[in-house]
PDB file of all heavy atoms in Angstrom:
ATOM      1  N   CYS A 111     -16.774  15.512   4.852  1.00  0.00           N
ATOM      2  CA  CYS A 111     -15.828  14.507   5.357  1.00  0.00           C
ATOM      3  C   CYS A 111     -14.352  14.984   5.206  1.00  0.00           C
ATOM      4  O   CYS A 111     -14.060  15.715   4.247  1.00  0.00           O
ATOM      5  CB  CYS A 111     -15.946  13.192   4.583  1.00  0.00           C
ATOM      6  SG  CYS A 111     -17.548  12.439   4.642  1.00  0.00           S
ATOM      7  N   ALA A 112     -13.513  14.515   6.087  1.00  0.00           N
ATOM      8  CA  ALA A 112     -12.076  14.628   5.876  1.00  0.00           C
ATOM      9  C   ALA A 112     -11.631  13.452   4.967  1.00  0.00           C
ATOM     10  O   ALA A 112     -12.315  12.407   4.993  1.00  0.00           O
ATOM     11  CB  ALA A 112     -11.335  14.577   7.178  1.00  0.00           C
ATOM     12  N   LEU A 113     -10.579  13.610   4.224  1.00  0.00           N
ATOM     13  CA  LEU A 113     -10.188  12.560   3.276  1.00  0.00           C
ATOM     14  C   LEU A 113      -8.667  12.321   3.284  1.00  0.00           C
ATOM     15  O   LEU A 113      -7.882  13.285   3.138  1.00  0.00           O
ATOM     16  CB  LEU A 113     -10.635  12.978   1.871  1.00  0.00           C
ATOM     17  CG  LEU A 113     -10.231  12.081   0.717  1.00  0.00           C
ATOM     18  CD1 LEU A 113     -10.900  10.706   0.817  1.00  0.00           C
ATOM     19  CD2 LEU A 113     -10.655  12.719  -0.634  1.00  0.00           C
ATOM     20  N   PHE A 114      -8.302  11.028   3.466  1.00  0.00           N
ATOM     21  CA  PHE A 114      -6.876  10.638   3.332  1.00  0.00           C
ATOM     22  C   PHE A 114      -6.735   9.819   2.015  1.00  0.00           C
ATOM     23  O   PHE A 114      -7.501   8.882   1.827  1.00  0.00           O
ATOM     24  CB  PHE A 114      -6.419   9.786   4.498  1.00  0.00           C
ATOM     25  CG  PHE A 114      -5.044   9.231   4.335  1.00  0.00           C
ATOM     26  CD1 PHE A 114      -3.915   9.986   4.694  1.00  0.00           C
ATOM     27  CD2 PHE A 114      -4.848   7.978   3.796  1.00  0.00           C
ATOM     28  CE1 PHE A 114      -2.640   9.470   4.545  1.00  0.00           C
ATOM     29  CE2 PHE A 114      -3.542   7.455   3.640  1.00  0.00           C
ATOM     30  CZ  PHE A 114      -2.466   8.227   4.002  1.00  0.00           C
ATOM     31  N   THR A 115      -5.748  10.184   1.196  1.00  0.00           N
ATOM     32  CA  THR A 115      -5.451   9.419  -0.014  1.00  0.00           C
ATOM     33  C   THR A 115      -3.960   9.317  -0.132  1.00  0.00           C
ATOM     34  O   THR A 115      -3.234  10.320  -0.151  1.00  0.00           O
ATOM     35  CB  THR A 115      -5.988  10.156  -1.265  1.00  0.00           C
ATOM     36  OG1 THR A 115      -7.363  10.436  -1.124  1.00  0.00           O
ATOM     37  CG2 THR A 115      -5.772   9.299  -2.537  1.00  0.00           C
ATOM     38  N   PRO A 116      -3.413   8.070  -0.180  1.00  0.00           N
ATOM     39  CA  PRO A 116      -1.966   7.982  -0.250  1.00  0.00           C
ATOM     40  C   PRO A 116      -1.421   8.470  -1.604  1.00  0.00           C
ATOM     41  O   PRO A 116      -2.001   8.191  -2.616  1.00  0.00           O
ATOM     42  CB  PRO A 116      -1.664   6.488  -0.131  1.00  0.00           C
ATOM     43  CG  PRO A 116      -2.962   5.826   0.144  1.00  0.00           C
ATOM     44  CD  PRO A 116      -4.067   6.773  -0.132  1.00  0.00           C
ATOM     45  N   SER A 117      -0.312   9.237  -1.536  1.00  0.00           N
ATOM     46  CA  SER A 117       0.489   9.428  -2.746  1.00  0.00           C
ATOM     47  C   SER A 117       1.685   8.495  -2.601  1.00  0.00           C
ATOM     48  O   SER A 117       1.632   7.550  -1.808  1.00  0.00           O
ATOM     49  CB  SER A 117       0.880  10.888  -2.920  1.00  0.00           C
ATOM     50  OG  SER A 117       1.550  11.021  -4.161  1.00  0.00           O
ATOM     51  N   SER A 118       2.720   8.714  -3.380  1.00  0.00           N
ATOM     52  CA  SER A 118       3.796   7.735  -3.433  1.00  0.00           C
ATOM     53  C   SER A 118       5.093   8.326  -3.929  1.00  0.00           C
ATOM     54  O   SER A 118       5.102   9.399  -4.583  1.00  0.00           O
ATOM     55  CB  SER A 118       3.358   6.635  -4.463  1.00  0.00           C
ATOM     56  OG  SER A 118       4.420   5.856  -4.927  1.00  0.00           O
ATOM     57  N   ILE A 119       6.203   7.602  -3.633  1.00  0.00           N
ATOM     58  CA  ILE A 119       7.471   7.995  -4.269  1.00  0.00           C
ATOM     59  C   ILE A 119       7.380   7.924  -5.782  1.00  0.00           C
ATOM     60  O   ILE A 119       8.120   8.533  -6.509  1.00  0.00           O
ATOM     61  CB  ILE A 119       8.628   7.078  -3.808  1.00  0.00           C
ATOM     62  CG1 ILE A 119       8.291   5.544  -4.032  1.00  0.00           C
ATOM     63  CG2 ILE A 119       8.976   7.298  -2.363  1.00  0.00           C
ATOM     64  CD1 ILE A 119       9.468   4.599  -3.768  1.00  0.00           C
ATOM     65  N   GLY A 120       6.328   7.194  -6.274  1.00  0.00           N
ATOM     66  CA  GLY A 120       6.053   7.090  -7.708  1.00  0.00           C
ATOM     67  C   GLY A 120       5.548   8.422  -8.328  1.00  0.00           C
ATOM     68  O   GLY A 120       5.410   8.513  -9.532  1.00  0.00           O
ATOM     69  N   SER A 121       5.250   9.400  -7.468  1.00  0.00           N
ATOM     70  CA  SER A 121       4.781  10.694  -8.021  1.00  0.00           C
ATOM     71  C   SER A 121       5.984  11.509  -8.529  1.00  0.00           C
ATOM     72  O   SER A 121       5.773  12.581  -9.120  1.00  0.00           O
ATOM     73  CB  SER A 121       4.061  11.494  -6.972  1.00  0.00           C
ATOM     74  OG  SER A 121       4.944  11.884  -5.943  1.00  0.00           O
ATOM     75  N   PHE A 122       7.206  10.998  -8.332  1.00  0.00           N
ATOM     76  CA  PHE A 122       8.400  11.640  -8.888  1.00  0.00           C
ATOM     77  C   PHE A 122       8.857  10.947 -10.140  1.00  0.00           C
ATOM     78  O   PHE A 122       8.427   9.814 -10.442  1.00  0.00           O
ATOM     79  CB  PHE A 122       9.523  11.652  -7.861  1.00  0.00           C
ATOM     80  CG  PHE A 122       9.185  12.426  -6.607  1.00  0.00           C
ATOM     81  CD1 PHE A 122       8.937  11.761  -5.409  1.00  0.00           C
ATOM     82  CD2 PHE A 122       9.049  13.807  -6.632  1.00  0.00           C
ATOM     83  CE1 PHE A 122       8.601  12.487  -4.258  1.00  0.00           C
ATOM     84  CE2 PHE A 122       8.695  14.529  -5.506  1.00  0.00           C
ATOM     85  CZ  PHE A 122       8.500  13.848  -4.319  1.00  0.00           C
TER      86      PHE A 122
END
Side-chain angles (χ1 to χ4, degrees):
C111 300
L113 175 64
F114 174 85
T115 306
S117 186
S118 162
I119 54 172
S121 68
F122 298 109

